[in-house]
Amino acid sequence: MPRQGSWGSMELHNNCNTRASFDISRSSSLAQENLSKSQRIHNKSVDFDDNLPHAENPRLIYINDPRRTNDKYEFTGNEIRTSKYTLITFLPKNLFIQFHRVAYLYFLAIAALNQLPPLAVFGRTVSLFPLLFVLCVTAIKDGYEDWRRHRSDRNENNRESLVLQAGEFQMKKWKTIRAGEVVKIHADETIPCDMVLLGTSDPSGLAYIQTMNLDGESNLKTRYARQETASSIFEGCNVLGLIRCEQPNRNIYEFTANMEFNGHRFPLSQSNIVLRGCQLKNTDWIIGVVVYAGQETKAMLNSAVSPSKRSKLESYMNRETLWLSIFLLVMCSVVAVGMGLWLHRHKDELETLPYYRKTYIRNGRENDNDTNLSLYYYGVGTLTENKMEFRKASVYGKDYSSSNFTEDSLQDDNIRDAAISSRWKLKSEISVDSELMNFLHKDLAGDERIAAHLFFLTLAACNTVIPIVSQDASSGHGRSDSWGEVKAIDYQGESPDEQALVSAASAYGYTLHERTSGHIVIDVNGDKLRLDVLGLHEFDSVRKRMSVVIRFPDNTIKVLVKGADTTMFSILARDTEKDNLIRQVTQSHLTEYSSEGLRTLVVAARDLTDVELEQWQCRYEDASTSLIDRAAKLRQTAALVECNLNLLGATAIEDKLQDGVPEAIEALRQAGIKVWVLTGDKQETAISIGLSCKLLTADMQKIIINGNSEEECRNLLTDAKTRYGVQPAHRKNENSKRSNNPQNGYLEIPDDAKSSNVLQPCSGKEEPDVCAPLALIIDGNSLVYILEKDLESELFDIATSCKVVLCCRVAPLQKAGIVDLIKSRTDDMTLAIGDGANDVSMIQMADVGVGICGQEGRQAVMASDFAMGQFRFLKRLLLVHGHWNYQRVGYLVLYNFYRNAVFVLMLFWYILCTAFSTTSALTDWSSVFYSVIYTSVPTIVVGILDKDLSHKTLLKYPKLYGAGHRHEAYNLQLFWVTMIDTLWQSLVLFYIPLFTYKESSIDIWSIGSLWTIAVVILVNMHLAMDIRRWVFITHAAVWGSIIITYACMVVLDSIPIFPNYWTIYHLAKSPTYWLTILLIIIVALLPRFLFKVIHQIFWPSDIQIAREAEILRKATPNLRSMPIEDSS
Amino acid sequence: MADMNRERHRTRETAFYLFTQQSLPACKPVLTPGWVITIFLFMGLIFIPVGLITLRASHSVVEIVDRYDTECVPEAFRIDKISYIQDDSIPKNCSRFMKVHKYMKAPIYIYYQLDNYYQNHRRYVKSRSDKQLLHGQKYHDTSSCQPVELNSGQPIVPCGLIAWSLFNDSFTFIRERAELKVNRKNIAWKSDRDHKFGKNVHPFNFQNGTLIGGGKLNPKIPLSDQEDLIVWMRTSALPSFRKLYGRIEEDLDADDVIVVNLMNNYNTYSFGGKKKLVLSTSSWLGGKNDFLGHACVIIGSSSLILAIVFTLLHLKYRRPHGDTSYLPWNRKSLSG
């Protein structure tokens, strides 16, 4: 089962885009859509504009009438095809796709030019070889992958499900299922297509599904069948009706439709549809009608290509490629001019030259193979565990956070018994405040007591958590006789905050026991309380609150609301003095909680009058059945009831810091990376998290900017600038331009407390900082004004001179805006790390995006370049893998330039000896094999396996990462040094055989053979000299390449039809040949070796010292302790 | 049996794990001063003896070179050598005297040397048909032989510029009135004779055009026995080159004077090419060439010098290897 399902998760990796962009577009109204630079992100959401229901062109599904549904043949069947090719289309399509790569076009152009006789440098077939080789390898790989896709498609299409045919459910293959058919799914089966639920085994129409394949979230989600159809299905009747739904689209979090059934018309939403790829859980069966099938299912529509990102090194490489092109052009012109002059000088003799009989001018041309390197990036995780724990509460102006629950401290046994017997067994233990606990067992009288009652009712009722009750027979509880046996409750929900709150309510005796679409049952200290849910306004990022409208058993109607303090206080009732008093006290409690790093929510409630209820109900009905703009209408409806609320209290939830976060941040800072935190939390929370993860320290000067107008922000900024003497941006910029690393720059880390950090490398050399380090703390409100106006550069000046930047209360789009600010104003690289859907835009904007698989879902992970489990792995990713990859890639770029240049130069020198006639002494095959076979494998192996330092050393000395900031492995100087070395080596390669065989009878193929083997051995030895870690694969690759070269040459020289026939056999007999090769290798590599040795012994780099320490100390443990003691 | 299989399976799995985790057992060389000095010493000790042996071998080779292209043109024609060489009516024979200054042991190789002759010119090198050389007229596609492909509609065998420009000076050697026996067999590679040039392929329509390039071939002799052609068709790598003419299989004593009677047929005058006749003995190294020996000695001695320099430097500026207190941030803390 999981195997079959796996295609879904593979293919769907990008569907996070959907959610992300959707979130962004929703929340952008909050951000005033003022981040003009973030338009790119907006563009990404354009795809989803077609989400808006096409009211004028709905899709009509006649339930259980597939014939009528499909009479126009406009809907696809349920057969899916994830494979790209068929047998016929494979060749053209695959070639077309492959030729999207520019390098291939280059090779094609070379091959095409070679087909023209006057321009042919190589033989016609030979010139096609490299291109054909690459094309074939890629085509075989693509073909194999596609064959596997075909196979899995076939398996998928041939699976069977129960479909209502001729009045009864019969097995039918998935590929033949059509829209409009009624399908029955049993527990643990996979859903074959997108279906609207008609009924389930639960009389109320409830079903649980697992959406792991779709979005990676492992918790169960609830879906409901409409009550109307559910009951008739449950009673066994056939359902006939009409569903009008939107056209197929990619948004897996939205569905708008309505259904006509038995003359009624009612809305269908996201909660009524189950999607292909999901699994049914905890529900015996469901019956649904197919609305989207096959390629039109949301799962299949979600296969987008994520944007490609490039590293700076790559662009530097392009710059150097340009240099090389100029170089090549110069070489070609030298040959052309030389040949022209030669021809001019010998103009009169041309007809008589035995080796030249007809005038014919041709330009020399060289072939330069650039090797494409794919670069690696690195990334990380979140700051906190996202394991929420209910810590403190303020109820009706009283703070209950002093003491913790212990059973003995309870005042009397009765309460204790009640407390224990009524407590459901929860998965996690929650510490309970004894004072509050005792208070809750008093009689229900007095404002304060009622407020406490409502407070916990709200916690238990106002959420979307699903309780899953399971019999837990294993732990017989002595005191639980009144219940027979203890039942275990597991709360499944999308938000960990809500789960924490519900668990807390349960700990205090308000256990959420059952939830259906129409009612909830709460167990209040043993008494079951059934509450009818009249309506539910879900949490959204504009209102930042959630509310339920509840009818109590005594027919009173109440609105229960919980939400963020910023949006809650403005809608509270301000009637009495007592209200105001409670308000002030609660507010001070909130400040206190958040300063401890806790996440706070405000809880409030109010009674609804009949008039209000009627008005609301009418609007609610209308809004929720609407096909257009449902979200906005619902928001307006919510405003009707979410007003004049009575404050009940506030909650504080602790979001624990993950393991190793402070250490990781410290290490990253040592490595010269600037860390910025972008968080949705309140300023106090953000600062407290900053303090607890050692981002902020007590000795830092804090610049706090929170203005409510443009003017205020401007004043604050200029004030801060003058006070701390911030330099203008240009100077700093130049500074950082010189010293920034191609690979790293800013790193943004949202901690899971919905915050994000940016890390930025400070300049390599530490600037003489006399004053204390600065920390900038800025809130989202100010950012709105600052990013919108010309204050951006001011902010940038300050931010770059600060050691730490903390942005709080930022909207997702602002996060991306900040990343963009850094990206556009500096050359630095940015890395963004985050775990929530709100971080997706930032992750996509940054040069390197890292997602953390947190409890908040997988959207961030799916949008990221790297995914990891915890924040602390970021340290390893950057310091270890980032370092390795930088070293490898930096070296390999230089090496590949060298490898090709030395070859081309060698050919070039020879041209000067052939009357500029571009003769190649090497055989055509050898020239082609040089980069394809003779020297390519060691490059790849070294690119994968070479390591300069062990991960232990790298983690021990984070500052070694600075090698990247200082461009130690690749810079322009190094490039030119390498090129000079290349020039020397090519001259040695050319002139040693030339002098050795001066005035001898050597023929062109023999000397070509000598050059071929010499250059291959030379570049492999060059590489071998720089390899820092030899494993047997490296040995096999380097020495094997030389052996293979010899083998190839023996084969090529054994074919009589080549003019070079038998050359190698003749040469191998001659000692001169071997001596010449030895001499070439030694003389060519001597300067490089000398340079390397002198550099390493007398001017060692940090890496070199650390490497010696690592290797030599292991070998001689005795010597080891001494230097350490000396130094410390 | 099952145990063994499982064991093998486990080792394979472990190896794969080590590979994917990049923790295979590895050798990590470090260039310590000890290693560096050893390497240089070693190189010095290898290259100096090798160089000396090579030099000795090279010095043991005796070589006599005689440039004859100008001398063999009669004084009257020295102003216009081209008209001399192109005029068939003028006899081309010429006598040269070569003095042996040192005892030469048989076999003595006879080479002719051409200078400023671009046998490696691209158009020249390509102008041949290896298939025709092997299969003769049966092979029709000789387009690669341009511009010497056809003559009056008939294919030329062997076709191409290389064959067309075949060297055709000839030499005879007389010592003290007696003709020296010159062995002109086996001067070409055996592999070429056996497999590249057809045993049943005879020259056809060769050198019949208006423009005569060089030597003619006896149509009776198959290509595989036309050794001069085979030698010539191994085109040389450099614009100054020697080609083997034959071997004298008698020792020559010092102060012997050899009279060379030669036919100066080949035209190098039109492009200023030089022609030389070379008599040379050979050693295990081949002909006379001091370059390899000198290079080896120089490399060897500089390696020795470097070894000494590094030893001194190491003694003077010793840096404890692997001392982390030398790391820049530690250094700073030390000084601060």
Side-chain angles (χ1 to χ4, degrees), chain B residues 34-50:
Chain B
W35 269 107
V36 172
I37 293 164
T38 318
I39 289 171
F40 279 124
L41 266 182
F42 184 73
M43 266 164 53
L45 292 180
I46 294 272
F47 273 101
I48 291 179
V50 168

Side-chain angles (χ1 to χ4, degrees), chain B residues 270-289:
Chain B
S270 57
F271 56 90
K274 297 172 197 162
K275 294 196 279 190
K276 290 172 185 168
L277 179 65
V278 180
L279 297 184
S280 169
T281 61
S282 105
S283 67
W284 58 270
L285 199 63
K288 192 174 186 66
N289 192 333

Side-chain angles (χ1 to χ4, degrees), chain B residues 109-127:
Chain B
Y109 294 90
I110 305 161
Y111 298 97
Y112 54 91
Q113 176 174 341
L114 298 176
D115 287 351
N116 195 23
Y117 191 112
Y118 286 88
Q119 231 196 351
N120 58 12
H121 195 283
R122 186 182 177 82
R123 302 188 68 234
Y124 187 84
V125 172
K126 301 237 158 197
S127 184

Side-chain angles (χ1 to χ4, degrees), chain A residues 120 362 910 919 947 996 1030 1107, chain B residues 22 27 29 120 122 237 289:
Chain A
R362 213 164 54 81
Y910 186 64
T919 318
K947 287 178 192 173
T996 310
W1030 285 89
R1107 189 173 131 81
Chain B
Q22 302 213 341
C27 161
N120 58 12
R122 186 182 177 82
N289 192 333

Side-chain angles (χ1 to χ4, degrees), chain B residues 219-284:
Chain B
K220 302 249 165 60
I221 304 172
L223 288 187
S224 61
D225 289 338
Q226 307 264 14
E227 294 209 33
D228 282 328
L229 177 75
I230 299 176
V231 169
W232 184 251
M233 299 234 4
R234 279 247 147 215
T235 48
S236 74
L238 300 167
S240 283
F241 61 91
R242 290 175 184 183
K243 292 215 174 276
L244 191 57
Y245 181 79
R247 276 182 297 265
I248 298 174
E249 288 175 333
E250 287 170 58
D251 293 358
L252 297 179
D253 293 318
D255 298 329
D256 273 359
V257 175
I258 314 278
V259 181
V260 186
N261 286 321
L262 56 87
M263 297 295 289
N264 184 17
N265 296 322
Y266 200 67
N267 180 5
T268 56
Y269 304 103
S270 57
F271 56 90
K274 297 172 197 162
K275 294 196 279 190
K276 290 172 185 168
L277 179 65
V278 180
L279 297 184
S280 169
T281 61
S282 105
S283 67
W284 58 270

Side-chain angles (χ1 to χ4, degrees), chain A residues 833-1012:
Chain A
I833 173 161
D835 71 332
N838 53 342
D839 303 320
V840 167
S841 54
M842 179 181 75
I843 287 174
Q844 286 176 334
M845 174 64 81
D847 295 297
V848 181
V850 179
I852 296 176
C853 332
Q855 306 201 342
E856 294 193 15
R858 310 256 310 170
Q859 296 93 342
V861 168
M862 289 187 286
S864 64
D865 304 307
F866 291 91
M868 52 180 52
Q870 287 195 15
F871 179 80
R872 65 194 162 101
F873 299 138
L874 182 62
K875 182 177 162 190
R876 203 181 156 81
L877 180 72
L878 286 176
L879 298 187
V880 179
H881 296 283
H883 176 90
W884 283 344
N885 281 319
Y886 174 63
Q887 296 289 332
R888 285 172 192 159
V889 170
Y891 178 74
L892 283 186
V893 169
L894 285 176
Y895 176 74
N896 278 303
F897 278 141
Y898 152 80
R899 185 170 67 116
N900 291 301
V902 79
F903 183 71
V904 169
L905 278 174
M906 184 187 78
L907 298 178
F908 176 71
W909 304 134
Y910 186 64
I911 289 171
L912 302 185
C913 283
T914 60
F916 305 97
S917 66
T918 71
T919 318
S920 167
L922 276 61
T923 58
D924 293 348
W925 289 101
S926 285
S927 325
V928 171
F929 283 162
Y930 175 72
S931 45
V932 182
I933 296 177
Y934 298 167
T935 60
S936 63
V937 179
T939 320
I940 296 166
V941 169
V942 170
I944 296 169
L945 288 178
D946 202 32
K947 287 178 192 173
D948 51 350
L949 292 166
S950 75
H951 63 98
K952 283 187 199 125
T953 315
L954 287 170
L955 289 175
K956 192 172 164 198
Y957 305 112
K959 285 190 177 169
L960 289 173
Y961 188 71
H965 295 172
R966 293 190 296 273
H967 303 274
E968 272 180 18
Y970 186 86
N971 52 48
L972 200 59
Q973 195 193 352
L974 212 54
F975 172 76
W976 285 116
V977 168
T978 310
M979 282 301 129
I980 290 169
D981 184 38
T982 308
L983 191 69
W984 163 256
Q985 294 194 17
S986 68
L987 286 172
V988 168
L989 259 179
F990 175 70
Y991 276 106
I992 286 188
L994 193 76
F995 286 134
T996 310
Y997 290 103
K998 203 172 119 201
E999 299 194 324
S1000 74
S1001 56
I1002 189 138
D1003 60 279
I1004 190 166
W1005 301 288
S1006 298
I1007 207 161
S1009 167
L1010 173 64
W1011 272 326
T1012 311

Side-chain angles (χ1 to χ4, degrees), chain B residues 106-336:
Chain B
I108 297 155
Y109 294 90
I110 305 161
Y111 298 97
Y112 54 91
Q113 176 174 341
L114 298 176
D115 287 351
N116 195 23
Y117 191 112
Y118 286 88
Q119 231 196 351
N120 58 12
H121 195 283
R122 186 182 177 82
R123 302 188 68 234
Y124 187 84
V125 172
K126 301 237 158 197
S127 184
R128 62 190 277 155
S129 166
D130 287 285
K131 286 193 177 155
Q132 196 210 45
L133 291 175
L134 189 58
H135 302 295
Q137 288 185 65
K138 279 179 278 177
Y139 186 75
H140 293 292
D141 181 19
T142 53
S143 56
S144 64
C145 283
Q146 283 288 349
V148 191
E149 188 189 352
L150 299 168
N151 185 30
S152 48
Q154 292 284 326
I156 298 170
V157 181
C159 68
L161 268 178
I162 310 179
W164 173 78
S165 61
L166 175 65
F167 185 78
N168 60 351
D169 286 5
S170 64
F171 314 91
T172 50
F173 299 86
I174 295 159
R175 181 175 61 171
E176 293 159 7
R177 304 282 160 89
E179 190 170 335
L180 281 170
K181 195 163 179 257
V182 176
N183 182 358
R184 300 205 57 212
K185 287 275 165 217
N186 295 333
I187 54 173
W189 292 9
K190 189 170 182 305
S191 56
D192 282 354
R193 277 181 278 141
D194 292 350
H195 300 114
K196 276 202 77 67
F197 290 80
K199 290 192 168 51
N200 301 315
V201 180
H202 295 269
F204 175 77
N205 195 20
F206 186 69
Q207 222 62 286
N208 279 350
T210 45
L211 207 57
I212 305 295
K216 301 200 161 144
L217 293 173
N218 184 349
K220 302 249 165 60
I221 304 172
L223 288 187
S224 61
D225 289 338
Q226 307 264 14
E227 294 209 33
D228 282 328
L229 177 75
I230 299 176
V231 169
W232 184 251
M233 299 234 4
R234 279 247 147 215
T235 48
S236 74
L238 300 167
S240 283
F241 61 91
R242 290 175 184 183
K243 292 215 174 276
L244 191 57
Y245 181 79
R247 276 182 297 265
I248 298 174
E249 288 175 333
E250 287 170 58
D251 293 358
L252 297 179
D253 293 318
D255 298 329
D256 273 359
V257 175
I258 314 278
V259 181
V260 186
N261 286 321
L262 56 87
M263 297 295 289
N264 184 17
N265 296 322
Y266 200 67
N267 180 5
T268 56
Y269 304 103
S270 57
F271 56 90
K274 297 172 197 162
K275 294 196 279 190
K276 290 172 185 168
L277 179 65
V278 180
L279 297 184
S280 169
T281 61
S282 105
S283 67
W284 58 270
L285 199 63
K288 192 174 186 66
N289 192 333
D290 289 350
F291 172 77
L292 271 183
H294 285 143
C296 285
V297 171
I298 291 169
I299 289 295
S301 30
S302 30
S303 293
L304 276 187
I305 293 167
L306 282 172
I308 294 164
V309 169
F310 270 102
T311 316
L312 293 176
L313 281 174
H314 179 57
L315 290 177
K316 191 147 184 222
Y317 307 98
R318 199 187 188 105
R319 176 174 70 89
H321 270 71
D323 187 347
T324 43
S325 62
Y326 275 76
L327 287 171
W329 50 94
N330 288 338
R331 227 180 285 154
K332 208 167 290 159
S333 69
L334 277 180
S335 61

Side-chain angles (χ1 to χ4, degrees), chain A residues 140-152:
Chain A
I140 288 169
K141 189 203 80 186
D142 288 352
Y144 176 68
E145 279 175 0
D146 209 52
W147 174 71
R148 292 187 41 163
R149 255 177 268 160
H150 268 290
R151 208 176 49 176
S152 81

